[in-house]
Amino acid sequence: MTPPESPVILSRTRAGVRTLTLNRPDKLNAANDALLLMLTAELQAADADTGVRVVVITGAGRGFCAGQDLGDVSGRDMTFTEHLNHTYNPLIRTIRGLSKPVITAINGVAAGAGASLALAGDIRLWAQSASLIEVFSNIALVPDSGSTWFLPRLVGYHRAFALMALADRVRADDALKYGLCEEVLADDSFADAVQAYAERLASRPAHALKLTKQALNAALTSTLDQALDLEAELQQLAGDHWEHEEGVTAFKAKRVPEFVRPEPA
Ligand code: LHQ
């Protein structure tokens, strides 16, 4: 049992990697308002913290996130629309707008809005036993929290519709095949492997990655002309940054570039 005083989000920072752990394991980390608002606030705090270079979102126990806590919806004085606009939508927007890479580390089942959260990461790492279910139609709801935007872009309209209409469980090997995850990792060393991956990402040029995320996000809804214009604009910002000089200098000196510098006092 989780003690009642245990926070719904656990936060830990190691080697520039901030790991945020959804912590309602008895309910497979089903989301209540407190969890969603705290996760969003923790992401914003990580964005503002110069000691953080990469953020990992994962789940405690055997689940990643079972979506909305269905025990927490009756009797609330908000409409569905208000509920989404108050909690889930700010969370998904915060992840996509974060200036740092976000890894969603899918340690177990991701269902409903939990599936949307799993898909919202910049990098999605799955444990071998993880799975994803667009479970909404089981309770006659519409996929939300970004699933209708993410999934068809990854698997095409038809597979997305089938997965949403039938609520079939996607297991890790198929997720890799469908492009829902970047890597499938062994269950027994999952947390360590995620940390190692995140540390590798944290050693990359943070400013250039921030601009890359900005360009890719914009390109998902832009024309080629708009993408070319934005690339030209952002390349100037990247080229003027010390990271670029360090990369070129390291290349010429045949050494590994050092993109992590001590924080200014
Ligand atoms: C849960 C939940 C859960 C509470 C497992 N709530 N307790 C947005 C805005 C507004 C309104 C509505 O929705 C949304 C977005 C959404 O996310 S809608 C979709 C909501 N989620 C679901 O419908 C998923 C419901 N859960 C399941 O279908 C299964 O639990 C899955 C397939 C996720 C996992 O199945 P199992 O591995 O067999 O585990 P389990 O069912 O035995 O669950 C373990 C425990 O967790 C169990 O509690 P218990 O006391 O019996 O051990 C469940 O009641 C609890 N739990 N999901 N969403």
Side-chain angles (χ1 to χ4, degrees):
M1 283 285 286
T2 317
E5 68 277 10
S6 182
V8 285
I9 301 293
L10 304 174
S11 173
R12 185 201 71 184
T13 308
R14 200 197 301 158
V17 177
R18 166 99 20 114
T19 299
L20 303 174
T21 302
L22 281 55
N23 188 36
R24 303 185 77 215
D26 298 346
K27 293 174 181 282
L28 304 178
N29 304 311
N32 57 13
D33 287 8
L35 180 145
L36 295 164
L37 296 174
M38 189 168 174
L39 180 56
T40 305
E42 287 287 352
L43 285 161
Q44 288 163 346
D47 214 14
D49 187 333
T50 52
V52 175
R53 294 173 67 87
V54 171
V55 180
V56 174
I57 301 174
T58 194
R62 74 174 177 90
F64 173 69
C65 175
Q68 171 61 36
D69 184 336
L70 296 176
D72 198 54
V73 280
S74 62
R76 63 166 54 234
D77 55 5
M78 266 187 207
T79 64
F80 282 86
T81 305
E82 286 167 345
H83 185 183
L84 287 169
N85 285 333
H86 179 59
T87 53
Y88 289 95
N89 290 354
L91 169 61
I92 300 300
R93 286 192 175 105
T94 299
I95 293 172
R96 296 306 323 134
L98 214 79
S99 68
K100 300 168 184 181
V102 177
I103 296 176
T104 42
I106 320 306
N107 55 300
V109 65
S116 308
L117 177 61
L119 296 175
D122 298 301
I123 301 278
R124 292 91 26 102
L125 303 177
W126 282 42
Q128 184 67 56
S129 63
S131 60
L132 178 144
I133 316 174
E134 291 286 347
V135 76
F136 305 87
S137 61
N138 283 351
I139 54 170
L141 285 182
V142 173
D144 63 26
S145 308
S147 266
T148 64
W149 194 85
F150 295 120
L151 201 59
R153 280 172 171 72
L154 295 164
V155 303
Y157 169 90
H158 297 91
R159 194 185 297 277
F161 185 79
L163 288 173
M164 289 169 173
L166 299 172
D168 283 338
R169 189 186 288 258
V170 180
R171 296 193 184 274
D173 292 340
D174 281 337
L176 194 59
K177 208 165 63 190
Y178 297 167
L180 304 188
C181 72
E182 279 55 68
E183 284 195 25
V184 176
L185 303 165
D187 286 335
D188 55 5
S189 51
F190 184 63
D192 287 344
V194 168
Q195 178 68 24
Y197 192 113
E199 286 184 23
R200 194 156 72 87
L201 200 52
S203 74
R204 305 296 298 158
H207 181 254
L209 296 198
K210 169 182 139 177
L211 300 179
T212 302
K213 179 167 174 173
Q214 187 185 334
L216 276 178
N217 271 316
L220 282 170
T221 55
S222 78
T223 63
L224 174 60
D225 269 341
Q226 289 166 329
L228 291 170
D229 285 343
L230 185 61
E231 286 172 2
E233 189 186 317
L234 297 181
Q235 197 66 292
Q236 192 62 51
L237 299 179
D240 288 344
H241 197 273
W242 66 262
E243 286 177 349
H244 172 56
E245 193 184 333
E246 163 62 9
V248 173
T249 305
F251 174 77
K252 288 181 179 164
K254 298 188 187 301
R255 65 168 172 79
V256 177
E258 182 46 78
F259 292 122
V260 185
R261 286 191 173 171
E263 287 175 54

